[in-house]
Structure formats: C-alpha cells, structure tokens
Amino acid sequence: MKSGDLRRLVVLRHAKSAWPPDVADSERPPAPPGRRDASAVGRWLREAGCVRDLVVCSSALRTRQTWGLVAAEFAATTAVIQEARIYRAGAGELLSLHPAGVRIAIVCDNYSPHLTTKRCQRVGTWAAADNVEIAYTPTNSSWLNRIEAQVTALRCFALDGTDHTSHKQQGSMIRRYIIWRNKHAADERLSEVVKRANVA
C-alpha cells in the first residue's frame, strides 16, 4: 500500500456468546444465534466488497470462532494475527501495540459517555497527547441510550442519597418508583431528567 492511499478500518465485535458453566471467560464459544449472525455478517461483508488485508483478532475463543464463521462466507485468505494482548485490553494496551507515529482510531459505540465537553477535557487531552482520533457516532445512535436515560431517572428519583440496609429494601424502592413512573410518564421533572440524559 502506498503512502496516502485510502485505508479502511472495519471494527467487528464477537458474536453473541454462550455462558456454559465452569468455563473460563476466554473459552466461551459463540451461542447458536451468534453463529447465525456471524455468518450473516460475512455475507454482508462479501456483498459490500470489504476485502481485508489483515485481521487482528483477540485470542478469546468466541472472537476466533466468530472470525472463522465470517471468513467462511467469502473464502477469505486474509492474514490473521491472533493477539492475546487485545483481549480485555484498554486504550493504553491497544496503543502500546502500535508505533507512536501511527494514528489510532477508536470507534465509540455510544456518543454520550465519551463526549468531550467544555466542562471536561480529559478525553480530548488524552487523545491529543497519544495521537488518537475518537470516532464519535451520532448522538443517540446507540439503541441503549433510550434505556440509559430511564435508568438515569430511576437513579435520580429512587436511589440518589439513599442508604438502603438490604437489597430487598432497595428493590422495594425501585418497584415503587416504577409504579409511580408509569402513572406519571408526563411529569415535568421526570421529562427534564430524561431529556438531559438523552443529550448528555
């Protein structure tokens, strides 16, 4: 590849995994629905013309088997590097695998938790110092955001400032909140908390 040529980064999460008893996390295989999804992803990549020059794959079993199912859909002959260091790796570990002069792109699956705002520049400062580009997805792009906003409201109305003596007591408080919330979905205070959480 010549300098200046356009390069494409494809970030692929492992397929939905199974949770067999007494099996180490690194040895969990893909579950049947995940296996079907991995094959579908392989077909999509083939149809989209996403030909890969190199695959860097975690050493975890579910990750290796996911790539095997994906690759089987287009007879891939792509070179694969199994890298134990990216299993459960944080940003620092991932950066250590590349020369300092190589710019790294981190693709976030949820905009809000990673957003650098005027109030907190920690993410932006870290990224600039380590030659990292944060690839934000659009606000509210994650399907979880709608759920997270409701959990934020639950915490605000039912849990903040409390010191429950047992899980049973805490569970009772949460159940009472849910009953209240379902009867007062249009409550202005509730709507304001959810709105703030959705755009945080």
Coordinates of all heavy atoms in Angstrom, one line a residue, residues 9-15 37-38 40-42 44-45 52 55-58 63 65-71 74 86 107:
L9 N -10.9 0.8 7.9 CA -10.8 0.1 9.2 C -12.2 -0.5 9.5 O -13.2 0.2 9.5 CB -10.4 1.0 10.3 CG -10.5 0.4 11.8 CD1 -9.5 -0.7 11.9 CD2 -10.3 1.5 12.8
V10 N -12.3 -1.8 9.6 CA -13.5 -2.5 9.9 C -13.4 -3.0 11.3 O -12.5 -3.8 11.7 CB -13.8 -3.6 9.0 CG1 -15.1 -4.3 9.4 CG2 -13.9 -3.1 7.5
V11 N -14.3 -2.5 12.2 CA -14.3 -2.9 13.6 C -15.4 -3.9 13.8 O -16.6 -3.6 13.6 CB -14.4 -1.8 14.6 CG1 -14.4 -2.2 16.0 CG2 -13.3 -0.7 14.4
L12 N -15.1 -5.2 14.2 CA -16.1 -6.2 14.3 C -16.1 -6.8 15.7 O -15.1 -7.2 16.2 CB -15.8 -7.3 13.3 CG -16.7 -8.6 13.3 CD1 -18.1 -8.2 12.9 CD2 -16.2 -9.6 12.4
R13 N -17.3 -6.7 16.3 CA -17.4 -7.3 17.7 C -17.7 -8.8 17.5 O -18.3 -9.3 16.6 CB -18.6 -6.6 18.4 CG -18.8 -7.1 19.9 CD -20.0 -6.4 20.5 NE -20.1 -6.7 21.9 CZ -20.6 -7.8 22.4 NH1 -21.2 -8.7 21.6 NH2 -20.7 -8.0 23.7
H14 N -17.3 -9.6 18.6 CA -17.6 -11.0 18.5 C -19.1 -11.3 18.5 O -19.9 -10.5 19.0 CB -16.9 -11.7 19.7 CG -17.4 -11.4 21.0 ND1 -18.6 -11.8 21.5 CD2 -17.0 -10.5 22.0 CE1 -18.9 -11.4 22.7 NE2 -17.9 -10.6 23.0
A15 N -19.5 -12.4 18.0 CA -20.9 -12.8 18.0 C -21.4 -13.1 19.4 O -20.6 -13.3 20.4 CB -21.0 -14.1 17.2
D37 N -25.6 -15.0 13.3 CA -25.4 -13.6 13.0 C -24.0 -13.4 12.3 O -23.8 -12.6 11.4 CB -25.4 -12.8 14.3 CG -26.8 -12.7 14.8 OD1 -27.8 -12.9 14.0 OD2 -27.0 -12.3 16.0
A38 N -23.0 -14.2 12.8 CA -21.6 -14.1 12.3 C -21.6 -14.5 10.8 O -21.0 -13.8 10.0 CB -20.7 -15.0 13.1
A40 N -24.1 -14.2 8.8 CA -24.8 -13.1 8.1 C -23.9 -11.9 7.9 O -23.9 -11.3 6.8 CB -26.1 -12.7 8.8
V41 N -23.1 -11.6 8.9 CA -22.1 -10.5 8.7 C -21.1 -10.8 7.6 O -20.7 -10.0 6.8 CB -21.3 -10.3 10.1 CG1 -20.1 -9.4 9.9 CG2 -22.3 -9.7 11.1
G42 N -20.7 -12.1 7.6 CA -19.7 -12.5 6.5 C -20.3 -12.3 5.1 O -19.6 -11.8 4.2
W44 N -22.7 -10.1 4.4 CA -22.8 -8.7 4.2 C -21.4 -8.1 3.7 O -21.3 -7.3 2.8 CB -23.2 -8.0 5.4 CG -23.4 -6.5 5.3 CD1 -24.5 -5.8 4.8 CD2 -22.4 -5.5 5.5 NE1 -24.2 -4.5 4.8 CE2 -22.9 -4.2 5.2 CE3 -21.1 -5.6 6.0 CZ2 -22.2 -3.1 5.4 CZ3 -20.4 -4.4 6.2 CH2 -20.9 -3.2 5.8
L45 N -20.3 -8.5 4.4 CA -19.0 -8.0 4.1 C -18.6 -8.4 2.7 O -18.0 -7.6 1.9 CB -18.0 -8.6 5.1 CG -18.0 -8.0 6.5 CD1 -17.1 -8.8 7.4 CD2 -17.7 -6.5 6.5
R52 N -10.3 -7.5 3.2 CA -9.4 -7.2 4.2 C -8.0 -7.6 3.9 O -7.8 -8.7 3.3 CB -9.8 -7.8 5.5 CG -11.0 -7.2 6.1 CD -12.0 -8.2 6.6 NE -12.3 -9.2 5.6 CZ -13.2 -8.9 4.6 NH1 -13.9 -7.8 4.6 NH2 -13.5 -9.8 3.7
V55 N -6.3 -9.1 9.5 CA -7.2 -9.2 10.6 C -6.4 -9.3 11.9 O -5.5 -10.2 11.9 CB -8.2 -10.4 10.4 CG1 -9.0 -10.6 11.7 CG2 -9.1 -10.2 9.2
V56 N -6.7 -8.5 12.8 CA -6.1 -8.6 14.2 C -7.2 -9.1 15.1 O -8.2 -8.4 15.3 CB -5.5 -7.3 14.7 CG1 -4.8 -7.5 16.0 CG2 -4.4 -6.8 13.7
C57 N -7.0 -10.3 15.6 CA -8.1 -11.0 16.3 C -7.7 -11.3 17.8 O -6.6 -11.8 18.0 CB -8.5 -12.3 15.6 SG -9.8 -13.2 16.3
S58 N -8.6 -11.0 18.7 CA -8.4 -11.4 20.1 C -8.2 -12.9 20.2 O -8.6 -13.7 19.4 CB -9.5 -11.0 20.9 OG -9.5 -11.7 22.2
T63 N -14.1 -14.9 19.9 CA -13.6 -14.0 18.9 C -13.0 -14.8 17.7 O -13.3 -14.5 16.5 CB -12.6 -13.0 19.5 OG1 -13.1 -12.5 20.6 CG2 -12.3 -11.9 18.5
Q65 N -13.7 -17.9 16.8 CA -14.7 -18.6 16.1 C -15.6 -17.7 15.3 O -16.1 -18.1 14.2 CB -15.5 -19.5 17.1 CG -14.6 -20.6 17.6 CD -15.5 -21.7 18.4 OE1 -16.6 -21.5 18.7 NE2 -14.8 -22.7 18.8
T66 N -15.8 -16.5 15.8 CA -16.6 -15.5 15.1 C -16.0 -15.2 13.8 O -16.6 -15.2 12.7 CB -16.8 -14.2 15.9 OG1 -17.6 -14.5 17.1 CG2 -17.5 -13.1 15.1
W67 N -14.6 -14.9 13.8 CA -14.0 -14.6 12.5 C -14.0 -15.8 11.6 O -14.2 -15.7 10.4 CB -12.5 -14.2 12.8 CG -11.8 -14.1 11.5 CD1 -10.8 -14.9 11.0 CD2 -12.1 -13.1 10.4 NE1 -10.4 -14.5 9.7 CE2 -11.2 -13.4 9.4 CE3 -13.0 -12.1 10.3 CZ2 -11.2 -12.7 8.2 CZ3 -13.0 -11.4 9.1 CH2 -12.1 -11.7 8.1
G68 N -13.9 -17.0 12.1 CA -13.9 -18.2 11.3 C -15.3 -18.3 10.5 O -15.3 -18.7 9.3
L69 N -16.4 -18.0 11.2 CA -17.7 -18.1 10.6 C -17.8 -17.0 9.6 O -18.4 -17.2 8.5 CB -18.8 -18.0 11.7 CG -18.8 -19.2 12.6 CD1 -19.6 -18.8 13.9 CD2 -19.5 -20.4 11.9
V70 N -17.3 -15.8 9.9 CA -17.4 -14.7 9.0 C -16.6 -15.0 7.7 O -17.1 -14.8 6.6 CB -16.8 -13.4 9.6 CG1 -16.7 -12.3 8.6 CG2 -17.8 -12.9 10.7
A71 N -15.4 -15.4 7.9 CA -14.5 -15.7 6.8 C -15.0 -16.8 5.9 O -14.7 -16.8 4.7 CB -13.1 -16.0 7.3
F74 N -16.9 -15.9 2.5 CA -16.3 -15.4 1.3 C -14.9 -16.0 1.0 O -14.1 -15.3 0.3 CB -16.2 -13.8 1.3 CG -15.6 -13.3 2.6 CD1 -14.3 -13.2 2.8 CD2 -16.5 -12.8 3.6 CE1 -13.7 -12.6 3.9 CE2 -16.0 -12.2 4.7 CZ -14.6 -12.2 4.9
I86 N -4.9 -8.0 23.1 CA -6.0 -7.2 22.9 C -7.3 -7.8 23.6 O -8.3 -7.1 23.6 CB -6.4 -6.9 21.4 CG1 -6.8 -8.2 20.7 CG2 -5.2 -6.3 20.7 CD1 -7.2 -8.0 19.2
V107 N -13.3 3.7 17.6 CA -14.7 3.9 17.2 C -15.6 3.6 18.4 O -15.6 2.5 18.9 CB -15.0 3.0 16.0 CG1 -16.5 3.2 15.5 CG2 -14.1 3.2 14.8

